[in-house]
Amino acid sequence: MTEDSQRNFRSVYYEKVGFRGVEEKKSLEILLKDDRLGILPPHHESHARVMLYRKEQYSDVLHALKVIRFVSDATPQVEVYLRMSQLESGRLPRSPSFPLEPEDEVFLAIAKAMEEMVEDSVDCYWIIRCFVNQLNKYRDSLPQLPKAFEQYLNLEDSRLLSHLKTCSAVSKLPYDLWFKRCFAGCLPESSLQRVWDKVVSGSCKILVFVAVEILLTFKIKVMALNSAEKITKFLENIPQDSSDAIVSKAIDLWHKHCGTPVHSA
């Protein structure tokens, strides 16, 4: 058994016998402690020291940003996280007033969602950074996801796809919200955790099946809309009360089309 399969054995086993998402609420944090993501070393006796270093590094970077007046006590916390990441990666702009890059907007969206999941600011910053780094590994795969979305939606409901094409909506769907931001700002945090768990454990294709399931869940509403603009606006602001069911069905779709994907990118 490979190291990757050992890491995911319990999740795969439970899913094989019909239990979806067992302990998924905690699995994101568990996986993020894996040395592969560079947060903590594999030896537990080193954790306290490493966390101390992380806190010191966090404090030093934050202090530097305050000294150069890039942030203040009044700066929103998610923006503080962004400026810290920019400084550490050598991408800090010359002025805080400079317009944000698209990748910065993605960082802020993810940071805002992660802030609702993680209480400690130091832990939150490091988890955000490592999650964004994980997404960057999918950079070559992300442009392929809209095509995959169209393929799987056609398999599940060709009539619905035909309606989207008739409205010229296929190319205007909120792909950035779905795939670049991983549904941050679209799904509530309780549902996001289950999706991000799959992303962290090695698959960005789960994002495709969440998008497909959103369309299937709101098929009647989408079919009643007759313009790309109206369809996109609705999909950007879907009702939140169905999100848990959407994610559960999306995971089922994922298994249906991909078998039991542990690290299916």
Side-chain angles (χ1 to χ4, degrees):
M1 185 179 291
T2 66
E3 187 176 341
D4 283 342
S5 62
Q6 286 177 330
R7 273 205 312 154
N8 293 274
F9 171 78
R10 184 172 62 176
S11 175
V12 173
Y13 172 76
Y14 281 134
E15 290 179 349
K16 276 187 176 180
V17 296
F19 293 96
R20 297 288 187 254
V22 174
E23 294 186 357
E24 282 178 318
K25 192 168 185 179
K26 295 182 179 179
S27 58
L28 178 62
E29 293 180 10
I30 293 171
L31 284 167
L32 284 170
K33 291 179 181 177
D34 193 325
D35 189 47
R36 293 171 181 270
L37 291 180
I39 296 179
L40 290 173
H43 303 294
H44 291 283
E45 60 270 20
S46 303
H47 288 186
R49 179 171 296 181
V50 170
M51 288 309 302
L52 177 60
Y53 291 155
R54 294 296 191 216
K55 289 179 181 179
E56 291 177 347
Q57 186 174 343
Y58 179 95
S59 297
D60 289 344
V61 175
L62 180 57
H63 177 69
L65 286 170
K66 288 183 176 180
V67 168
I68 61 176
R69 297 182 180 179
F70 241 86
V71 302
S72 68
D73 292 338
T75 304
Q77 189 63 45
V78 291
E79 186 179 333
V80 172
Y81 294 145
L82 172 63
R83 298 308 185 187
M84 291 177 68
S85 176
Q86 289 176 328
L87 180 59
E88 291 200 283
S89 61
R91 298 190 305 105
L92 191 69
R94 293 182 180 180
S95 167
S97 62
F98 278 30
L100 297 176
E101 298 291 334
E103 62 188 284
D104 298 327
E105 298 285 1
V106 170
F107 186 102
L108 287 174
I110 291 172
K112 185 175 181 181
M114 196 73 78
E115 190 179 35
E116 297 297 319
M117 304 180 199
V118 184
E119 293 182 5
D120 183 81
S121 58
V122 178
D123 289 343
C124 188
Y125 171 64
W126 286 109
I127 292 175
I128 293 166
R129 276 201 57 184
C130 291
F131 185 74
V132 171
N133 288 341
Q134 179 76 355
L135 290 184
N136 288 337
K137 296 178 183 178
Y138 299 136
R139 186 167 295 178
D140 293 337
S141 300
L142 291 179
Q144 313 303 322
L145 298 189
K147 191 67 178 178
F149 162 80
E150 186 176 340
Q151 172 193 345
Y152 289 116
L153 182 60
N154 184 55
L155 290 173
E156 291 298 317
D157 196 321
S158 59
R159 183 166 171 263
L160 180 53
L161 178 61
S162 295
H163 175 71
L164 295 177
K165 289 182 176 180
T166 300
C167 297
S168 301
V170 175
S171 63
K172 298 177 181 178
L173 297 176
Y175 295 123
D176 283 356
L177 174 64
W178 291 347
F179 304 145
K180 289 186 178 180
R181 301 189 183 195
C182 291
F183 295 94
C186 177
L187 298 176
E189 286 68 33
S190 60
S191 301
L192 272 183
Q193 290 184 52
R194 301 175 62 197
V195 177
W196 289 5
D197 166 70
K198 304 298 182 184
V199 174
V200 168
S201 63
S203 175
C204 63
K205 188 172 280 188
I206 184 62
L207 302 174
V208 170
F209 294 107
V210 174
V212 169
E213 189 55 46
I214 286 175
L215 267 296
L216 296 177
T217 298
F218 298 109
K219 174 182 176 178
I220 295 176
K221 176 67 176 180
V222 172
M223 293 290 285
L225 300 174
N226 55 13
S227 73
E229 292 74 18
K230 291 178 180 178
I231 291 173
T232 300
K233 184 177 180 180
F234 170 75
L235 293 175
E236 288 176 340
N237 300 277
I238 61 171
Q240 303 286 287
D241 54 359
S242 303
S243 59
D244 284 342
I246 287 172
V247 173
S248 294
K249 292 177 182 178
I251 293 172
D252 288 338
L253 275 183
W254 189 45
H255 285 264
K256 171 184 173 181
H257 291 287
C258 301
T260 307
V262 178
H263 292 296
S264 174

